[in-house]
Amino acid sequence: MSTEQSTGLNDNDKSITGFVMISHAVVHTYELSIPILMVIWLADFGLSTAILGTAVAVGYGLYGIGALPAGVLVDKFGSRELVLVCLAGMGGSFLLLSAAQGIVTITIAICVWGIAASVYHPAGLSLISTGVEQRGTGFAYHGMAGNFGIAFGPLLTAVLLLFFDWRYVTALLVVPAVIAILYAMSASFDETAAVQTKTDGGEPTDDESMSLSKFVTDSRALFTLGFSIAIVVVMMNGLFYRGTLTFLPDVLSDFVPNVADQLQLFDPDSPMAEEFNPASYLYAGLLMIGMGGQYVGGKLTDRIRTETGLAVIFGSLAVVAVLFVPAAQAGVVPLLIISALLGFLLFSLQPMYQATIAEYSPPGDRGLSYGYTYLGVFGVGATGAAIAGYLLSVVTVGMTFVALAVFPATGAVLAILLSRTGDRRA
């Protein structure tokens, strides 16, 4: 059986999918290496979780806020060039981060990263929705690649920290962006192969596509009741995603036994023993399991109503959040099980809400729709880091997770409500 027959992807689909997979992996390699570095910054700079959480939330917030203007630019210029700009900007931000001297310079560097990274999701997801005929499969592979980066970033960072100072590590992390740029420049595809681009009255002129009046008009047309509810649903995902993952390596350190000492992996007085943090590897493993969640979630978007999938997954996440700390306190095996469930469920949401946005928005405004989506997911969602940081500084870890469970519980209710609006547009 040929690859095309087995995957359901034609040549153009495969070219686009490869392009967005490597780019998506790099975006999340950077995004999730930051929490590993935060553990070091908390100690090296004597920062509280509230201060560092707020500072990082600013940079993560720009990751979402920039998605809206990026979505407008995608609808005008297409995806390829914007993704290349995104990759170059992210690499440069980590080079800047390597020279950080304190909380101010750390914040500036992460803000630069957030602005550059904000371009990716409107560009990449719009490209899949308009260029890939097997959209659900495209979302699935795209999500899996993102989860590879999500897991690879923390793992690579943790391993490099065994051998190098964190400043050298952040400089070395520029390399993935360089590799992705070289690959991206060689890709060839038709960005609109899966849609009829003229169905809504033809392409707008340059002046029309960039005008404020057109932006307002398109936004008003986009925000039907269904799309509005869908955006709030993805906000709940973003708040829980950022709230749980930002400080999770530090939280896990309280529950994971020091296997390095127990198994005598390193000389107790060696630098490697000092830098080795088992919690970082559990964190990376949890994120790697998310690849399975991405794949399953993506495949299910072609088989069930996405609103139903969102309701079930959100409801399950609320239960996992409430049980997380009691399970972690019960021993290593329950900790591993609850961590695996968290990773699988958290990332199975992503292809579900991405496909849902496509169902509630017209193809001609897909870039704008994903701009609003990631304004919600990563812009509004970034406050989850500040919320979690504050909660960890005033209440117990267990109470923090119970409080964060409100977000997926609300998401489940809204997903049920969304299924009853009946105004799908795709």
Side-chain angles (χ1 to χ4, degrees), residues 196-368:
Q196 295 294 323
T197 59
K198 302 278 187 185
T199 53
D200 294 324
E203 293 297 317
T205 66
D206 288 349
D207 290 340
E208 288 177 330
S209 65
M210 295 297 289
S211 70
L212 177 61
S213 61
K214 185 178 189 304
F215 170 76
V216 173
T217 300
D218 286 354
S219 294
R220 285 176 177 172
L222 188 60
F223 273 88
T224 61
L225 176 61
F227 185 80
S228 300
I229 296 173
I231 287 295
V232 181
V233 168
V234 300
M235 286 180 186
M236 294 303 104
N237 170 80
L239 287 162
F240 185 72
Y241 174 93
R242 195 63 73 201
T244 53
L245 292 186
T246 300
F247 288 98
L248 194 56
D250 192 50
V251 167
L252 290 173
S253 297
D254 295 333
F255 302 113
V256 180
N258 194 333
V259 295
D261 288 347
Q262 294 176 0
L263 301 177
Q264 298 181 333
L265 297 177
F266 310 112
D267 183 335
D269 298 324
S270 69
M272 294 182 70
E274 182 180 352
E275 295 295 339
F276 183 78
N277 183 1
S280 296
Y281 296 91
L282 175 57
Y283 180 70
L286 175 158
L287 299 174
M288 187 65 75
I289 288 173
M291 291 180 66
Q294 287 272 15
Y295 182 79
V296 172
K299 285 296 187 181
L300 285 176
T301 64
D302 289 331
R303 292 169 171 78
I304 65 173
R305 283 184 63 90
T306 57
E307 299 92 334
T308 301
L310 286 170
V312 172
I313 297 168
F314 267 126
S316 301
L317 272 174
V319 174
V320 168
V322 171
L323 296 179
F324 190 88
V325 172
Q329 292 172 333
V332 174
V333 173
L335 172 61
L336 294 176
I337 293 173
I338 200 73
S339 296
L341 286 172
L342 176 64
F344 184 89
L345 292 170
L346 185 59
F347 291 99
S348 64
L349 275 176
Q350 292 186 6
M352 281 286 176
Y353 73 67
Q354 290 163 359
T356 300
I357 291 298
E359 294 292 344
Y360 285 88
S361 61
D365 288 324
R366 204 55 59 73
L368 181 62

Side-chain angles (χ1 to χ4, degrees), residues 4-323:
E4 181 173 329
Q5 289 175 322
S6 61
T7 64
L9 302 178
N10 59 38
D11 288 342
N12 192 69
D13 287 356
K14 286 185 284 187
S15 183
I16 290 175
T17 301
F19 174 72
V20 297
M21 283 177 70
I22 189 169
S23 302
H24 195 203
V26 172
V27 170
H28 290 298
T29 291
Y30 290 126
E31 179 200 359
L32 271 298
S33 66
I34 292 172
I36 297 295
L37 295 166
M38 287 174 67
V39 177
I40 298 176
W41 296 334
L42 286 168
D44 282 6
F45 297 113
L47 303 170
S48 70
T49 56
I51 291 174
L52 184 58
T54 301
V56 171
V58 174
Y60 278 151
L62 291 172
Y63 181 24
I65 293 170
L68 184 54
V72 175
L73 293 174
V74 167
D75 287 335
K76 174 176 173 55
F77 297 110
S79 297
R80 180 197 299 275
E81 290 77 9
L82 291 176
V83 172
L84 288 172
V85 170
C86 162
L87 294 169
M90 291 190 300
S93 71
F94 264 64
L95 191 60
L96 177 61
L97 186 61
S98 68
Q101 298 298 316
I103 188 62
V104 174
T105 44
I106 285 173
T107 304
I108 292 171
I110 295 177
C111 285
V112 173
W113 174 83
I115 292 169
S118 69
V119 174
Y120 176 71
H121 284 92
L125 294 173
S126 178
L127 180 57
I128 294 173
S129 67
T130 61
V132 178
E133 294 183 8
Q134 297 295 320
R135 188 170 62 198
T137 299
F139 279 134
Y141 285 119
H142 176 264
M144 290 174 66
N147 260 94
F148 174 80
I150 283 171
F152 179 71
L155 181 60
L156 176 64
T157 304
V159 171
L160 289 175
L161 286 170
L162 293 176
F163 304 98
F164 304 105
D165 179 78
W166 70 268
R167 298 182 188 280
Y168 293 112
V169 171
T170 51
L172 287 170
L173 287 173
V174 175
V175 174
V178 174
I179 294 173
I181 289 171
L182 293 175
Y183 176 86
M185 291 177 67
S186 68
S188 176
F189 48 78
D190 178 359
E191 295 192 18
T192 59
V195 296
Q196 295 294 323
T197 59
K198 302 278 187 185
T199 53
D200 294 324
E203 293 297 317
T205 66
D206 288 349
D207 290 340
E208 288 177 330
S209 65
M210 295 297 289
S211 70
L212 177 61
S213 61
K214 185 178 189 304
F215 170 76
V216 173
T217 300
D218 286 354
S219 294
R220 285 176 177 172
L222 188 60
F223 273 88
T224 61
L225 176 61
F227 185 80
S228 300
I229 296 173
I231 287 295
V232 181
V233 168
V234 300
M235 286 180 186
M236 294 303 104
N237 170 80
L239 287 162
F240 185 72
Y241 174 93
R242 195 63 73 201
T244 53
L245 292 186
T246 300
F247 288 98
L248 194 56
D250 192 50
V251 167
L252 290 173
S253 297
D254 295 333
F255 302 113
V256 180
N258 194 333
V259 295
D261 288 347
Q262 294 176 0
L263 301 177
Q264 298 181 333
L265 297 177
F266 310 112
D267 183 335
D269 298 324
S270 69
M272 294 182 70
E274 182 180 352
E275 295 295 339
F276 183 78
N277 183 1
S280 296
Y281 296 91
L282 175 57
Y283 180 70
L286 175 158
L287 299 174
M288 187 65 75
I289 288 173
M291 291 180 66
Q294 287 272 15
Y295 182 79
V296 172
K299 285 296 187 181
L300 285 176
T301 64
D302 289 331
R303 292 169 171 78
I304 65 173
R305 283 184 63 90
T306 57
E307 299 92 334
T308 301
L310 286 170
V312 172
I313 297 168
F314 267 126
S316 301
L317 272 174
V319 174
V320 168
V322 171
L323 296 179

